[in-house]
């Protein structure tokens, strides 16, 4: 299997500095203390973690549906990542996945089972096992 690489830089102090995160094969993502902790417009590492989980989950859910005999048409997943102050530092305490799926040949009960199994089995979910809670809301469209 290929290895994935990403790089980050930070220039300056915590409060006035700027950073960038860069997956090897994607655009550079700038961030600052303001975009991470103060609600300023821009990105942050937690958002990138959320995007990674949403992407991994969506892709794995497609496979799970296919294995169950369904035909996935469209999977849209949002990840809300909660960062909280804890024990003198910060921790990602919860991630809520919200997915809406168009698929043929699957009923809601089977879909819910496949979605729940996918939540804990995709590689990024496994990597995020230290997060207290990863919740899922899953809907079949149509």
């Amino acid at each position: 299997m290929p290895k994935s690489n990403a790089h980050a830089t930070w220039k300056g102090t915590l409060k006035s500095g700027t950073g960038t995160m860069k997956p090897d094969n994607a655009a550079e993502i700038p961030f600052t203390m303001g975009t991470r902790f103060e609600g300023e417009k821009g990105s942050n590492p937690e958002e990138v973690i959320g995007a990674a989980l949403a992407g991994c989950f969506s892709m794995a859910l497609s496979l799970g549906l296919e294995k169950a005999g369904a035909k996935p048409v469209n999977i849209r997943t949002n990840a809300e990542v909660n960062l909280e102050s804890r024990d003198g530092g910060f921790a990602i305490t919860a991630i809520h996945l919200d997915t809406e799926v168009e698929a043929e040949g699957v009923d809601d009960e089977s879909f819910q089972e496949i979605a729940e199994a996918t939540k804990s089995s995709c590689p990024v979910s496994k990597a995020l096992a230290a997060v207290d809670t990863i919740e899922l809301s899953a809907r079949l469209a149509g």
Side-chain angles (χ1 to χ4, degrees), residues 80-116:
E80 180 181 275
V81 180
N82 294 7
L83 180 69
E84 296 180 11
S85 178
R86 184 181 276 183
D87 301 325
F90 290 89
I92 295 173
T93 58
I95 301 173
H96 181 83
L97 293 175
D98 184 38
T99 191
E100 184 173 74
V101 176
E102 290 177 57
E104 299 168 3
V106 66
D107 61 41
D108 190 60
E109 182 178 343
S110 297
F111 167 72
Q112 295 297 329
E113 290 174 9
I114 294 164
E116 278 296 324

Side-chain angles (χ1 to χ4, degrees), residues 12 29 32-33 38 54 71 75 100 103 108 119 124 128-129 137-138:
I29 304 165
T32 66
M33 182 170 169
E38 299 168 355
K71 181 181 177 191
I75 299 171
E100 184 173 74
D108 190 60
K119 180 187 78 166
V124 175
L128 294 172
S137 297

